[in-house]
Every structure is written in structure tokens, then in C-alpha cells.
Amino acid sequence: MNVFISADIEGTCGITTWAETERSTPMDYKPFQRQMTREVQAACEGVLAADKAAEIFVKDAHDSARNLDPAALPESVKIMRGWTGDPLSMMSGLDGGDFGAVLFTGYHAWASCGGNPLSHTMNLRNEYVLLNGVRMSEFMMNAYTAGYYGVPVVFLSGDKALCDFAQELIGGITTVAVNEGRGGAVVSIHPDKAVKDIREAAKKAVKNAKNCVVPMPKFFDMTVRFKEHQKAYSKSFYPCASLEDEKNVCFSSDDWFEMLRFCHFVLSD
């Protein structure tokens, strides 16, 4: 089994403020850069301990996509750093291999969710993104990308709000909630416990892949609610998109890749 891991940072154990996610503020960032790497390392070790992985492909999927320390990961891992510019975005590379499972580490709740003080969906310019009437997280978007390619989503670590949602979306998924948001604060487990729990849960998760098939809708209807009407007006010129009101840009399709293409141009910075 080849395994794909997409790694974000805002759901890393203990992370609380934007400064802890940004390379431009190294004193705040470096401890959580290390913890992000430790959590991905733990997920890789868990997969390998399950004796299920022929190859592990890791996508560094936060900001510059240059966060993880490749030398800290097992030698059998391949890692993609930087951005290709294709619509798969945080899942780039998934279409290039015969993968049997997808894992997510360090993921966070959706825009406007109180479960994480850093909650957002792709950027900070939108108030929220609705997909078939549900507020869409980056996890939800990327899980559907896995489903589009027929790959089970077996594991997620991040904040409790997102883990609870993931269990509703994919019944067999294994989750590790490392944080719980309370207003502008975070209550977290110990970072060493997070690493231990992720390692053990990843080992369990890849053995359960057959029960983690993503339920794909037959049709997709998306609304992006922008904070500024000027940005909504500009993005409404995407082909076949419509401006529902001053701030809502809408798009629909029965093809998930077309939805990814819309997100790529409308939600990208």
C-alpha cells in the first residue's frame, strides 16, 4: 500500500496564534515547525509499524510549503515541498501514485468555526465557504479530492471540532484531537502525548482503510462568502460562476475536479 500524507500546521498541538505559523516570526514559529515535523514523523512511523506501506508520500501543505524538516522523516518517505500550482493544491501528488490511504496531520476547523482561533478555509478573505449547505473546511475539500481518486481517508489529527466533523463524514476514520479552541485560546494535550497518540492511531488507521471510503455527493453546489464586496465582484467573473449578492460567489458542478478548479482560482491568494 502506498500512503499519502497532507500536513498543515494550524491544527498542530498547542498552536494558538498566527505568529506561530509564520516563518517571518521565527521565535514563535520554530517550536511549532518542530512539532509539526514531529507529528508527521509520528504518522509515518505508525504507518510503517503497521507493515502496510510500500511508499509514503508527504505533501507539506502550509503557507510556503517549506515547513517540514525532511531529514527528520523516515528514509523511505518522499516529500513534496513548495507549490506546483495545480488545482489539487494541498493534495498535489495524489494523482501521480497508486495510493491506498490518505492521512491528514495538523488540520484545523473551517472558517467562522469557534473550534480553533485560527480557523479558516484556504485564506482569510472569506467569511465562510458553503459546500452543499455545509461550511467547508480544508479537510472536507481535500477528503473529497481523495474520494475523487478513489483513495480512502483513514486518519486525521487536529482540533476537536474538526475531528468530530470528520467522524460524521467518514464513519471509519481514526482521529486524534490535540487541541480544543476556546475563544482566542487553545487547550491542548502535551506535545509528547500528541506524538505518541498520532503514532499509535496511524498504525491502527491504515489497517482499517476498507472502512474509510469517502462518500462522494453526485452534485456539488458551492458558495464563497467574501469579507469584502470588491473581492467578490472580481472573483464572480470565473466562468459559470455567479454573484448571488454583493459578497456571495456561487458555482455548481457534478464534477469534483471542476469544483477544485473553481477553488483554485477563486480561493487562491
Side-chain angles (χ1 to χ4, degrees), residues 9 12 14 17 36 53 57 73 81 85 90 93 99 105 111 116 133 156 160 193 226 228 230-231 233-235 256:
I9 201 171
T12 297
T17 70
M36 177 187 181
F57 186 100
L73 303 181
R81 301 175 72 242
M90 299 172 77
F99 294 101
T105 63
N116 189 322
L156 165 72
K160 183 178 183 299
K193 177 172 170 51
F226 285 95
E228 298 180 353
Q230 301 95 324
K231 182 62 67 174
Y233 177 78
S234 173
K235 297 297 186 179
W256 179 245

Side-chain angles (χ1 to χ4, degrees), residues 3 39 83 108 124 132 139 150 177 181 209 212 217 225 241 250 256 259-260:
V3 172
E39 292 180 13
W83 296 105
H108 54 84
L124 300 180
N132 292 352
F139 164 79
C212 299
R225 175 74 175 180
C250 302
W256 179 245
M259 301 304 296
L260 288 178

Side-chain angles (χ1 to χ4, degrees), residues 3-9 36-37 40 44 55-70 73 77-95 99 101-107 142:
V3 172
F4 185 98
I5 299 177
S6 178
D8 205 354
I9 201 171
M36 177 187 181
T37 298
V40 173
C44 292
E55 178 180 295
I56 302 175
F57 186 100
V58 174
K59 175 68 186 89
D60 190 325
H62 169 68
D63 195 35
S64 67
R66 295 183 293 114
N67 307 279
L68 298 172
D69 177 5
L73 303 181
V77 170
K78 291 184 177 179
I79 181 170
M80 180 186 285
R81 301 175 72 242
W83 296 105
T84 62
D86 67 75
L88 296 191
S89 187
M90 299 172 77
M91 302 295 282
S92 289
L94 185 69
D95 57 339
F99 294 101
V102 166
L103 292 80
F104 297 102
T105 63
Y107 268 59
N142 295 332

Side-chain angles (χ1 to χ4, degrees), residues 4 9 13 20 26 30 33 35 51 57 68 77 80 112 122 124 127 130 156 171-172 178 252:
F4 185 98
I9 201 171
C13 184
E20 294 166 346
K30 285 187 178 296
Q33 179 190 30
Q35 183 64 18
D51 197 28
F57 186 100
L68 298 172
V77 170
M80 180 186 285
S112 296
M122 298 304 289
L124 300 180
E127 293 182 13
L130 287 179
L156 165 72
V178 299
S252 300

